[in-house]
Amino acid sequence: MSDQQAQSVAFVRDTMLPQEAPPASQTGPVKWVRDNLFPDVFNAVLTLIALFFIYKILAGFLPWLMGGLWTTASLAECREILDGATGGCFSVLTERWNQLLFGFKYPPDQYWRPTLAFVMLFVAAAPLLFAMYVPSKVLYFTALYPFIAFWLIWGGTIVVPLVALLGFIVGYMAFKKVEAASFAGALGAAIVSAAVVWFVGGFLSDAMSGVLALPEVPSRDMGGFMLNFILGVVCVSLSLPIGILLALGRQSDMPIIKWICVVFIEFIRGVPLITLLFVANVVLAYFLPPGTTFDLILRVIIMITMFSSAYIAEVIRGGLAALPKGQYEAADSLGLDYAQSMRLIIMPQALKISIPGIVNVAVGLFKDTTLVSVISMFDLVGMIRGPILASTEWNGVYWELWGFAILMFFPVCYGISQYSQWLERKLATDHR
């Protein structure tokens, strides 16, 4: 080959080769299985063992589920039809679903009321949980929802929740009017103004007892999962702001406020919740004047809220302690007072740090609402252990009822957990 011919040969390709698909072993399900289930010998053995246990569980569970009966009138009839075959007696759910959800005393023709309140809860909670996606005007409905839900669930005249709402509005207006002069004075003015409105409104509600009235349902007639849900939502909603105040009070420079918060937190955290529930049920009545009636659900809400507030306070205190000192100094350098620095700089960062701990307390609190069954309140667990299993028709049914309880509690607790993880990702600012 001459030099001229050698120089005319191109050693660099000037056209692109057509793109080829990656090997089947390096993409799709095959790659996922190899990387996650069989990356090495040890993990492959663990995967095979786990698959064996899953197979054994499903081999026993699926025939029991698929072969179950839903239309029998008693456990004896169910066993007679099965005649030794594998299958669950799910007829207890079709027969007693209303008691499991609403208790055995809530009027059946009024089930629409707590159901409507449950549906409205999602609308009311939307601007609080997904503020970036929901119009801010929905917050007006959120502020009205507690009074609407109370009227729907407990019934009575609508004047009662309207008077309660008016008391909060008047108290807020009094607070804003005096706030510039003194925070303590503004708080006192708000409390006095609201108390006056409620005192006068009490006579007004008695005089207008028939105005837009729903049939009254006393607290003793409420039960089932509805009771667990009411306690969980109300106590979690109340314990968060109270926990924030306790955490700030524990770090206060004023000795009286600091020690009141310290004693409250340490005492409540050192006492089992079941003890506080017994106090709410029995002991609290001894401290009230003779003949005074104090709603049992309200007493339980107070005790559970106190219990969870103490734990949330410690979680938030950990978030406050995790902030660098420079954040406090930055707030001081901007000329912000204590309330402004906490609201605008310190507390948003502390709450973001505290999200996992707050969610942990909220999930635990929702599950702990089942403890009210020990003080003769017929929540979901109380209904299962009491009227249903005590009946001659369904004495001996366990897996079906407790499986239903799992199906009620798990979605709520899992949903709270997933929302917290989504919120952490939305609030992430470190770009890790």
Side-chain angles (χ1 to χ4, degrees):
M1 181 181 294
S2 64
D3 293 340
Q4 185 177 3
Q5 291 176 329
Q7 292 177 359
S8 65
V9 176
F11 290 92
V12 179
R13 181 180 296 277
D14 56 2
T15 58
M16 294 294 294
L17 290 174
Q19 187 176 3
E20 296 184 1
S25 60
Q26 297 300 318
T27 185
V30 176
K31 178 177 173 56
W32 185 90
V33 170
R34 175 181 293 178
D35 293 344
N36 295 277
L37 301 181
F38 301 96
D40 50 48
V41 176
F42 178 72
N43 284 281
V45 173
L46 292 180
T47 297
L48 293 176
I49 294 175
L51 291 175
F52 173 76
F53 280 105
I54 293 174
Y55 166 75
K56 296 296 289 184
I57 293 173
L58 293 179
F61 174 73
L62 291 180
W64 176 77
L65 178 64
M66 302 304 294
L69 300 177
W70 296 83
T71 57
T72 57
S74 65
L75 178 61
E77 182 182 351
C78 177
R79 289 175 175 173
E80 182 179 354
I81 296 175
L82 289 174
D83 193 22
T86 301
C89 294
F90 300 110
S91 302
V92 64
L93 303 181
T94 57
E95 286 282 327
R96 302 296 182 95
W97 66 269
N98 54 339
Q99 296 181 6
L100 291 169
L101 293 179
F102 302 103
F104 64 95
K105 288 186 177 181
Y106 203 92
D109 60 336
Q110 302 296 317
Y111 285 163
W112 64 270
R113 289 161 47 182
T115 304
L116 179 60
F118 174 75
V119 174
M120 295 170 63
L121 173 64
F122 292 94
V123 180
L128 301 177
L129 302 179
F130 307 100
M132 64 287 292
Y133 304 116
V134 180
S136 58
K137 293 182 179 180
V138 185
L139 281 171
Y140 292 109
F141 178 76
T142 303
L144 295 175
Y145 174 75
F147 307 96
I148 298 174
F150 173 84
W151 178 60
L152 285 174
I153 296 175
W154 273 269
T157 176
I158 198 174
V159 177
V160 174
L162 288 179
V163 169
L165 175 62
L166 181 61
F168 281 105
I169 294 175
V170 172
Y172 176 76
M173 295 173 60
F175 178 85
K176 297 300 291 185
K177 191 173 184 63
V178 190
E179 183 182 14
S182 170
F183 179 81
L187 186 61
I191 295 175
V192 172
S193 302
V196 171
V197 172
W198 292 332
F199 179 77
V200 176
F203 298 100
L204 181 63
S205 60
D206 292 338
M208 304 177 64
S209 58
V211 177
L212 285 178
L214 293 172
E216 291 191 29
V217 180
S219 296
R220 63 178 179 273
D221 292 347
M222 298 182 186
F225 187 69
M226 176 185 68
L227 179 59
N228 295 109
F229 202 82
I230 292 174
L231 294 176
V233 171
V234 174
C235 294
V236 169
S237 302
L238 294 177
S239 60
L240 183 58
I242 296 175
I244 292 175
L245 295 178
L246 289 172
L248 295 177
R250 184 160 189 166
Q251 292 190 331
S252 174
D253 294 330
M254 293 182 283
I256 296 179
I257 294 180
K258 178 178 181 179
W259 283 107
I260 289 176
C261 294
V262 169
V263 170
F264 177 86
I265 292 172
E266 297 302 331
F267 174 77
I268 295 297
R269 291 174 68 225
V271 177
L273 176 58
I274 193 172
T275 303
L276 297 177
L277 294 178
F278 277 115
V279 170
N281 186 37
V282 181
V283 181
L284 197 61
Y286 292 104
F287 296 93
L288 300 175
T292 302
T293 58
F294 196 3
D295 190 89
L296 179 58
I297 289 184
L298 180 59
R299 283 181 274 165
V300 170
I301 287 175
I302 292 174
M303 289 301 176
I304 296 179
T305 302
M306 290 169 53
F307 183 82
S308 58
S309 298
Y311 281 88
I312 288 180
E314 285 300 282
V315 171
I316 295 176
R317 187 174 70 89
L320 292 172
L323 290 180
K325 188 178 180 181
Q327 297 295 318
Y328 296 88
E329 296 174 346
D332 294 337
S333 67
L334 293 175
L336 302 178
D337 58 22
Y338 178 80
Q340 291 174 330
S341 63
M342 286 295 166
R343 180 170 58 90
L344 300 176
I345 296 179
I346 304 301
M347 195 53 64
Q349 300 181 71
L351 290 176
K352 186 181 76 170
I353 297 173
S354 306
I355 286 176
I358 293 175
V359 171
N360 185 50
V361 174
V363 171
L365 170 63
F366 185 72
K367 293 185 294 185
D368 285 344
T369 58
T370 56
L371 291 176
V372 300
S373 61
V374 303
I375 58 172
S376 301
M377 294 184 71
F378 292 103
D379 69 318
L380 180 58
V381 173
M383 288 301 305
I384 293 175
R385 296 173 54 189
I388 296 179
L389 288 180
S391 63
T392 56
E393 294 88 356
W394 303 111
N395 187 9
V397 177
Y398 295 101
W399 286 103
E400 295 83 350
L401 291 171
W402 296 117
F404 179 81
I406 292 173
L407 290 178
M408 291 291 101
F409 279 93
F410 177 77
V412 177
C413 297
Y414 183 73
I416 296 173
S417 176
Q418 290 301 303
Y419 170 76
S420 70
Q421 295 181 28
W422 173 84
L423 186 61
E424 287 185 67
R425 292 192 296 268
K426 285 292 181 181
L427 298 178
T429 56
D430 48 7
H431 304 289
R432 288 184 293 180

